[in-house]
Amino acid sequence: MPRKVIENPNSCTLVHAMNMIGGKWKPIIIYLLANGALRFGKLLIFIPNISKKVLTQQLRELEEDGIIIRQRFAETPPRVEYSLSERGKGLLPVLKQLSMWTEDNFKSIEFEACRIVTL
Amino acid sequence: MPRKVIENPNSCTLVHAMNMIGGKWKPIIIYLLANGALRFGKLLIFIPNISKKVLTQQLRELEEDGIIIRQRFAETPPRVEYSLSERGKGLLPVLKQLSMWTEDNFKSIEFEACRIVTL
DNA sequence: ATTTGTGGTAACTAATTGGTAACTATGCCT
DNA sequence: AGGCATAGTTACCAATTAGTTACCACAAAT
């Protein structure tokens, strides 16, 4: 099933960007991959409450958009590693800036519990 | 009806940020307000295909998060103006950077039709 | 022969989001 | 009195997204 992309005749860069990274878990996935490749199973563990199905979906979409790279090893049991592409790495400063904006503006909110994602 | 916020015990700055600006039209609204206040009706015209109800919702949420300011004038017919708060203005560089990332990485896509939002 | 682990897929359901159309409130104008 | 304009709200429905559960394929280990 092709994901639904906003069919806006005036689609602009921001809309396009949000279509790509606006998914519920996508920024987390990107940030988790910032420090190197991770296997499917690890991502499943690191991202609380995400289901296999949804993780698969989000990874597929990120791959489609060339943000991450999927590498499959011909082993058994199978091993699949996901890593950021160059394009994906280019997103890190943006996410970092966004993260800093949030920290500066919403200090009061409890962010202590999430060291996995905060760089 | 309170909007559904991601109930992630490991909620992090990025998740929080995406909860605030990840809405379908929110980046557009923020960018439209970058150059000054706009009335409800103008936003409705500038944002293609958005419905009144959804525009109202998005504006309310942005206001809740302190990103925009709603100013109601006691006139008839009523006039309501929306503008960026300081917090909201702090978001502009981030969005600009995101927009640039998209332009750099997806040159081929047609962005000509959307001069309203691209700064 | 059966179990284990990995990375899925399929079918189904629940939750959330987005959209339409009709309606409201207010004061002005005719 | 009736209509207009603005900025909504409400009820209802459609579309989209997310989640659950069960299952598969493969080889190695037990």
Side-chain angles (χ1 to χ4, degrees):
Chain A
M1 235 148 299
R3 90 185 114 148
K4 188 59 192 289
V5 167
I6 193 171
E7 63 324 56
N8 183 344
N10 286 17
S11 64
C12 69
T13 50
L14 275 179
V15 174
H16 190 53
M18 293 313 270
N19 279 331
M20 288 187 289
I21 64 160
K24 184 169 174 184
W25 308 101
K26 286 182 184 173
I28 301 185
I29 293 172
I30 294 169
Y31 240 29
L32 281 175
L33 296 180
N35 304 313
L38 284 176
R39 325 184 33 168
F40 184 84
K42 284 288 178 201
L43 285 169
L44 212 49
I45 292 167
F46 282 150
I47 305 172
N49 308 328
I50 199 173
S51 65
K52 275 180 177 189
K53 196 201 78 174
V54 173
L55 178 56
T56 304
Q57 265 175 18
Q58 307 270 297
L59 289 170
R60 289 282 180 285
E61 293 181 2
L62 287 170
E63 195 195 359
E64 261 179 52
D65 293 325
I67 291 169
I68 65 172
I69 294 165
R70 179 176 191 272
Q71 196 178 2
R72 164 190 353 219
F73 297 87
E75 306 171 0
T76 44
R79 180 158 64 100
V80 179
E81 281 191 355
Y82 294 92
S83 56
L84 287 183
S85 66
E86 284 312 306
R87 181 182 284 178
K89 286 176 191 164
L91 217 36
L92 291 175
V94 186
L95 294 182
K96 182 72 189 163
Q97 220 190 333
L98 182 57
S99 175
M100 278 164 41
W101 173 82
T102 314
E103 274 179 40
D104 291 348
N105 285 280
F106 302 88
K107 293 198 183 68
S108 58
I109 293 163
E110 77 324 333
F111 292 135
E112 313 80 34
C114 66
R115 286 287 149 257
I116 44 161
V117 171
T118 308
L119 287 193
Chain B
M1 240 148 298
R3 90 185 115 148
K4 188 59 191 288
V5 168
I6 192 172
E7 65 321 58
N8 183 345
N10 286 17
S11 65
C12 68
T13 51
L14 276 179
V15 174
H16 190 54
M18 292 314 269
N19 278 331
M20 288 186 290
I21 65 160
K24 184 169 172 182
W25 308 101
K26 286 181 185 175
I28 301 186
I29 293 172
I30 294 170
Y31 239 30
L32 282 174
L33 295 180
N35 304 313
L38 284 175
R39 318 181 44 166
F40 184 85
K42 283 288 178 201
L43 285 170
L44 212 50
I45 291 168
F46 282 150
I47 304 173
N49 308 328
I50 200 173
S51 66
K52 276 181 178 187
K53 194 198 78 170
V54 173
L55 179 56
T56 304
Q57 264 175 19
Q58 308 272 297
L59 290 170
R60 288 284 181 283
E61 293 181 2
L62 287 170
E63 195 195 0
E64 259 179 51
D65 294 325
I67 292 169
I68 65 171
I69 293 165
R70 177 176 192 274
Q71 197 176 1
R72 165 191 349 219
F73 297 87
E75 307 171 357
T76 43
R79 180 158 65 99
V80 180
E81 280 190 356
Y82 295 92
S83 56
L84 287 183
S85 66
E86 284 312 307
R87 179 181 286 177
K89 285 176 192 163
L91 219 34
L92 291 175
V94 186
L95 293 182
K96 182 72 188 163
Q97 220 191 333
L98 182 57
S99 176
M100 277 163 41
W101 173 82
T102 314
E103 273 180 41
D104 292 347
N105 285 281
F106 302 87
K107 294 198 181 67
S108 58
I109 293 162
E110 74 325 332
F111 291 135
E112 313 79 35
C114 65
R115 288 284 148 258
I116 43 162
V117 171
T118 309
L119 284 194

